[in-house]
Amino acid sequence: MTVVETSDLTKDYALNGITVNALRGVSLSFQAGEFAAVAGPSGSGKSTFLHLVGCLDVPTAGSIAVGGIDVAALSRKELALLRRRSIGFIFQAYNLIPVLTSLENVSLPLVLLGHGKAEAREMAERALAEVGLGDMTGRRPKEMSGGQQQRVAIARALVKKPALILADEPTANLDSKTGREVLEIMLGLNRSEGTTFIFSTHDRMVMDFARRLVELRDGRIESETLR
Amino acid sequence: MNAAAFRDVAGMALRNLGRHRVKTVITTAAVAISAALYIFMDGWILGMNLESRRNIAAYEMGAAKIQTKAYFDKKDELPMYENFPGWETLARDLAKAGFDSAPRFTFTGTLYSRAGTAPLVFNAVDPESERRLLRYVPYVESGRFPRDGALELAVGSLAAEKLRVGIPDRPTRSEYEAEILGAAATEEDRAFVRSLYGPPRTSKEPRKPFSVPDKAAPAFEEEKLALKEGVSGEERERLWRILAASGRMDVRISTVIDVKAAPDSIRKNKFEQELLPSLDAGAQALVRSAYEPDPATGDYYLASADDALTSRVLETMVAADYPGAIRHINQLIDAVVVGVVNSPNPKTNGSVGYIPLSALQDEAGLMLGGAVTEILIRKAGADDAEIPGSAESPAAIRAALDRVLAADGRTFPDNLDVRGWKDYSADYLAASAGDEVSTRVMILFLFVLSFIGISNTMLMAILERTKETGMLRALGMTDGQVLLAYTLEAGLIGAIGSAIGILLGCLINIPMVAYGIDYSAAAREMGGDFGYRIVALFRSAWNPPVIAATGVVATVLSAVAAIPPTLRALRMPVTESLRFE
């Protein structure tokens, strides 16, 4: 089943009066259960691609379908609801809410989805246990290491069992050992839950982990490798 | 959003307050102070107003007055010639309709005492009706209220002080020697007087709570004596008798009796240039029919012997405000001051004299012949603590009176009118409205300042959390939910601030309602009369709707303060928010 399909995806930015062509006609499709990396040097358009696929931004031209839905036709609110239901995000800087405990951070997407408090708590505890943080449910972000925070972010992304998890350079802020641990957790979840993962990265180790590697350069697909 | 999500968003908002603790505390304090001040000021103003309204009704005029329509139009001039007869009949009709009434004839004049003079407004009253309707009568601080039929006078305490009549509380040494001790004819009386006065008790007198220092007291002045505390009523009476025997209480009223009368003669130029131009054609013809010019001087003389015509001419002249239609008769009346009034309504204690109506009927008085200028009205058995309500409105009084009159086949005289207390209390209403406006404006400024504070706090908070906002939107929070989260956060500042403010305001209000602020010194400086009908004690009142509204308004205003910066944050694309550092 196709989870994401882009067709001739183009994105231009105006930066200080100059038009930057971040993406120039990228057509890709990702199937359910893929563990794929979009790689490339900085400025290659990999983050832009992820943001467009994650419905955080709108393309200049071309189309995106997430779960078969053409997102161009959706309103701001419908896009928000699509993100809420179907897409999990993992950010380079973790982006946890500092005033909430790890358990509360993880249950937030569930609460937004309308789950009851007890149910959300139980699901969040399970998700935290899956990323190996079953004993840190009461901690606030600043009481945890970078790796632990990123694992909370992973739990937050996967707790609602989304069709798609987008991870924007998830290991960039972590040392290689912690980065590997985090990747192993994600790979494990990909295998056990069948969740589709798409990374953006310029880290060789992440690329090695990926089952499918799409390399971008100057907004175009340079190569595509399946392993 | 479901209830659980709302609870979580609210919980998050509450915790977010702790992230900018100093700013939150300062902003909350600003809201709290604004709310507390508002509650305090509002309670104070309400207290003064309630007390003033009660005091106007209870001490000054009852709920309404009957006057002639012409009198009401010129009431500030106290036009004694616009009087009306037959108050006894009206009083009986009012009693049948369930109202108490008190007749008055109000006039102005100068009161001469042995030691001074003062312009006064005199209320000629029926002591019995007055005592029943108004409450100042028992507040005769020394002496007694005048007796019916006698040329006796009670004066306001301020007038008494100016005229140096009555019993002085704090005489200077020389005043004491000459006027008080000097009034005692026998050694026994002198000893008695000496026993009543002593050194003033200023030095170690404990201050009353909430009193302000007496700035009016100069640093150096002639030595003063004071009437001792605990002087009994009998002793005061005896002292009054001693002082009265010395002539201290003897006074003379100098007044001008204004009566409407068609002038016997009018000078040519006045007739032609003043009187005729103020009349319309018909009235001119009427006046010309009664007056004829003198062939030698050109002046006009009343030539008509027809009383009906003369009275119509007079009415025409009065209606046109022709000053020649009022005849002035100088009158001197010897009287004796028998009491000094000092009630909780400063209007009764100022330059006012009270004299029995019955004593002024003939040539020795004002030649009233039963006329009065007004009848004061209050519901029979009305509670003093009650402000006149709809049952005592002029319309209600008039309706009740009309029913009584109709039963006898009579009607309410056409030239009279019933008017409510508000129509006569312009000075109080102006003072009250002015204070109301200035206080509300002042408080509005405070609220604006708090609002700016909250806006600033929220602007900074939302700006600092731009990245977090982007993340929340990436997680699937809609614009509405983000807006709700931030308005809740700001609303919480308002709610906590106003809760503290309400608590603070109420705590201040408790002693303000129970004891009030004693402003006697400041009030003396202002001459005791500043519009409000209260004497030297500002007492607050509870105003629950305003207290509740303060909390609601402060909370809503605070919440609203978060809307502009949130909308600004929401205009930023999510990707840009996420990159924001």
Side-chain angles (χ1 to χ4, degrees):
Chain A
M1 192 183 86
T2 307
V3 176
V4 176
E5 184 156 25
T6 72
S7 165
D8 217 9
L9 203 56
T10 305
K11 179 71 185 177
D12 301 334
Y13 291 112
L15 195 69
N16 301 328
I18 303 160
T19 306
V20 179
N21 309 113
L23 285 180
R24 314 171 188 220
V26 175
S27 299
L28 283 169
S29 94
F30 296 88
Q31 302 305 308
E34 277 200 54
F35 196 73
V38 179
S42 72
S44 60
K46 55 188 187 302
S47 287
T48 304
F49 178 76
L50 233 61
H51 287 157
L52 289 173
V53 168
C55 305
L56 298 177
D57 209 347
V58 286
T60 311
S63 68
I64 312 160
V66 176
I69 300 164
D70 180 6
V71 300
L74 301 183
S75 67
R76 257 173 99 98
K77 186 169 181 181
E78 286 166 333
L79 286 173
L81 295 177
L82 178 68
R83 288 197 293 269
R84 186 188 297 179
R85 263 196 320 270
S86 310
I87 305 169
F89 287 96
I90 298 166
F91 300 101
Q92 179 181 340
Y94 332 128
N95 286 8
L96 299 175
I97 294 176
V99 292
L100 301 184
T101 63
S102 55
L103 185 73
E104 287 162 339
N105 264 294
V106 175
S107 34
L108 185 60
L110 298 173
V111 170
L112 289 175
L113 277 169
H115 290 266
K117 193 143 185 97
E119 188 190 5
R121 188 188 164 88
E122 198 183 308
M123 288 167 77
E125 274 171 353
R126 213 160 41 228
L128 280 167
E130 280 180 57
V131 297
L133 291 177
D135 55 346
M136 291 203 178
T137 52
R139 295 228 184 149
R140 302 251 170 121
K142 65 176 178 208
E143 297 160 348
M144 291 189 282
S145 70
Q148 286 166 335
Q149 287 187 54
Q150 194 59 302
R151 280 195 271 166
V152 175
I154 294 168
R156 181 178 64 187
L158 105 183
V159 71
K160 61 188 178 188
K161 309 239 182 293
L164 174 65
I165 290 181
L166 298 170
D168 191 8
E169 311 228 17
T171 58
N173 282 11
L174 305 174
D175 61 54
S176 61
K177 182 172 172 281
T178 318
R180 175 173 286 277
E181 282 169 15
V182 164
L183 281 167
E184 276 167 357
I185 288 169
M186 289 198 278
L187 187 59
L189 289 168
N190 168 255
R191 283 178 181 153
S192 63
E193 309 275 341
T195 312
T196 313
F197 277 84
I198 305 176
F199 305 91
S200 74
T201 187
H202 59 267
D203 183 343
R204 184 42 61 190
M205 180 178 72
V206 179
M207 294 181 216
D208 291 345
F209 260 84
R211 305 284 101 152
R212 176 181 173 193
L213 180 66
V214 179
E215 286 188 272
L216 294 182
R217 185 173 287 273
D218 298 329
R220 288 200 180 87
I221 300 170
E222 193 181 51
S223 69
E224 221 183 319
T225 322
L226 273 172
R227 299 193 180 112
Chain B
M1 196 183 337
N2 62 50
F6 182 84
R7 210 170 38 235
D8 273 45
V9 168
M12 197 166 75
L14 184 63
R15 280 188 233 177
N16 274 326
L17 293 181
R19 280 163 85 171
H20 313 276
R21 204 160 293 150
V22 175
K23 255 186 250 163
T24 303
V25 167
I26 291 173
T27 318
T28 310
V31 176
I33 289 169
S34 303
L37 269 175
Y38 190 75
I39 289 165
F40 167 68
M41 294 302 292
D42 180 78
W44 189 350
I45 288 181
L46 181 72
M48 291 210 294
N49 281 318
L50 290 178
E51 190 73 4
S52 292
R53 283 156 193 238
R54 270 196 287 271
N55 285 351
I56 285 173
Y59 296 95
E60 217 171 307
M61 65 180 83
K65 288 184 188 185
I66 290 178
Q67 287 180 333
T68 67
K69 287 171 181 161
Y71 190 103
F72 184 81
D73 293 339
K74 290 177 268 188
K75 64 179 185 311
D76 294 337
E77 302 164 23
L78 303 175
M80 65 195 293
Y81 52 88
E82 299 291 4
N83 50 44
F84 60 97
W87 68 266
E88 292 93 339
T89 318
L90 267 172
R92 274 195 298 277
D93 295 333
L94 280 164
K96 275 190 215 159
F99 293 97
D100 271 342
S101 64
R104 276 186 173 188
F105 191 97
T106 302
F107 62 102
T108 56
T110 307
L111 192 63
Y112 294 85
S113 71
R114 209 173 48 179
T117 63
L120 248 60
V121 172
F122 294 92
N123 291 314
V125 302
D126 174 39
E128 195 40 50
S129 313
E130 198 82 355
R131 191 186 301 275
R132 205 171 49 237
L133 193 98
L134 297 173
R135 296 293 158 263
Y136 73 89
V137 178
Y139 284 94
V140 173
E141 64 173 6
S142 42
R144 57 174 172 78
F145 202 70
R147 288 198 184 110
D148 202 22
L151 274 172
E152 293 177 342
L153 201 62
V155 294
S157 56
L158 264 169
E161 209 171 293
K162 229 183 280 175
L163 293 160
R164 281 157 73 179
V165 296
I167 298 174
D169 272 334
R170 289 167 65 94
T172 60
R173 168 69 68 183
S174 55
E175 197 184 338
Y176 168 75
E177 302 278 354
E179 294 176 25
I180 306 170
L181 203 54
T186 65
E187 193 47 51
E188 193 196 340
D189 282 350
R190 271 195 287 279
F192 169 70
V193 168
R194 277 196 206 98
S195 73
L196 296 185
Y197 283 90
R201 21 166 225 280
T202 50
S203 47
K204 294 285 187 279
E205 191 181 359
R207 287 267 301 278
K208 285 183 216 146
F210 301 106
S211 70
V212 292
D214 186 351
K215 286 204 198 98
F220 298 102
E221 60 177 9
E222 197 188 335
E223 187 200 350
K224 275 194 168 172
L225 292 166
L227 198 61
K228 283 179 185 166
E229 269 183 280
V231 174
S232 71
E234 276 170 31
E235 286 169 324
R236 280 188 95 98
E237 245 175 72
R238 183 175 167 190
L239 179 59
W240 185 283
R241 277 200 305 276
I242 291 170
L243 293 172
S246 75
R248 183 182 173 89
M249 312 305 178
D250 295 343
V251 289
R252 173 170 284 179
I253 302 168
S254 165
T255 186
V256 177
I257 306 170
D258 295 335
V259 286
K260 286 192 268 188
D264 292 334
S265 68
I266 305 173
R267 280 180 182 279
K268 184 178 187 300
N269 60 341
K270 291 232 175 192
F271 190 86
E272 288 168 0
Q273 286 160 31
E274 273 182 38
L275 177 58
L276 293 183
S278 67
L279 304 174
D280 60 30
Q284 284 185 9
L286 183 73
V287 171
R288 278 186 189 282
S289 71
Y291 284 87
E292 276 174 16
D294 182 291
T297 60
D299 292 347
Y300 287 77
Y301 287 87
L302 186 61
S304 166
D306 179 355
D307 282 349
L309 174 68
T310 311
S311 84
R312 266 166 58 214
V313 167
L314 176 60
E315 270 170 39
T316 307
M317 288 178 174
V318 172
D321 265 338
Y322 176 62
I326 308 298
R327 192 171 294 170
H328 309 289
I329 303 161
N330 291 314
Q331 177 67 304
L332 292 172
I333 302 165
D334 286 321
V336 58
V337 173
V338 294
V340 174
V341 173
N342 196 4
S343 90
N345 181 338
K347 280 280 167 190
T348 64
N349 316 334
S351 298
V352 192
Y354 304 89
I355 189 165
L357 191 57
S358 51
L360 300 176
Q361 299 298 318
D362 55 17
E363 276 73 15
L366 300 177
M367 302 180 280
L368 296 181
V372 294
T373 54
E374 61 198 34
I375 297 176
L376 311 185
I377 305 166
R378 188 88 215 252
K379 197 158 187 53
D383 185 354
D384 287 347
E386 223 172 86
I387 295 165
S390 55
E392 294 178 87
S393 72
I397 294 169
R398 183 61 203 273
L401 200 51
D402 280 343
R403 274 196 297 279
V404 171
L405 291 169
D408 285 357
R410 290 177 293 148
T411 54
F412 188 72
D414 205 30
N415 63 327
L416 301 186
D417 205 359
V418 184
R419 296 285 192 141
W421 65 270
K422 279 187 186 165
D423 291 325
Y424 299 97
S425 308
D427 60 335
Y428 152 69
L429 292 171
S432 163
D435 277 10
E436 183 104 4
V437 168
S438 58
T439 310
R440 300 271 186 251
V441 166
M442 202 175 79
I443 294 296
L444 189 74
F445 272 118
L446 267 177
F447 268 98
V448 167
L449 284 180
S450 320
F451 183 71
I452 292 172
I454 296 170
S455 296
N456 182 51
T457 303
M458 287 315 294
L459 181 75
M460 298 305 289
I462 292 168
L463 195 69
E464 274 175 38
R465 275 186 263 155
T466 303
K467 195 168 186 168
E468 194 175 308
T469 307
M471 193 277 300
L472 289 171
R473 291 166 73 193
L475 280 186
M477 255 200 186
T478 59
D479 292 357
Q481 288 171 326
V482 173
L483 189 64
L484 179 74
Y486 285 126
T487 45
L488 264 180
E489 192 173 324
L492 274 170
I493 296 182
I496 295 168
S498 54
I500 297 171
I502 286 172
L503 187 74
L504 214 64
C506 289
L507 282 177
I508 300 171
N509 244 11
I510 292 170
M512 282 299 297
V513 171
Y515 306 109
I517 293 182
D518 186 351
Y519 258 78
S520 38
R524 257 206 307 282
E525 239 173 310
M526 284 188 263
D529 187 359
F530 45 100
Y532 289 99
R533 304 303 199 270
I534 46 176
V535 175
L537 190 68
F538 291 162
R539 215 177 238 193
S540 295
W542 292 108
N543 199 354
V546 164
I547 293 174
T550 305
V552 174
V553 169
T555 306
V556 171
L557 266 184
S558 306
V560 166
I563 293 175
T566 309
L567 290 181
R568 195 166 148 260
L570 286 172
R571 271 198 296 275
M572 193 185 269
V574 184
T575 49
E576 213 172 295
S577 303
L578 286 167
R579 274 198 299 270
F580 193 89
E581 292 296 340

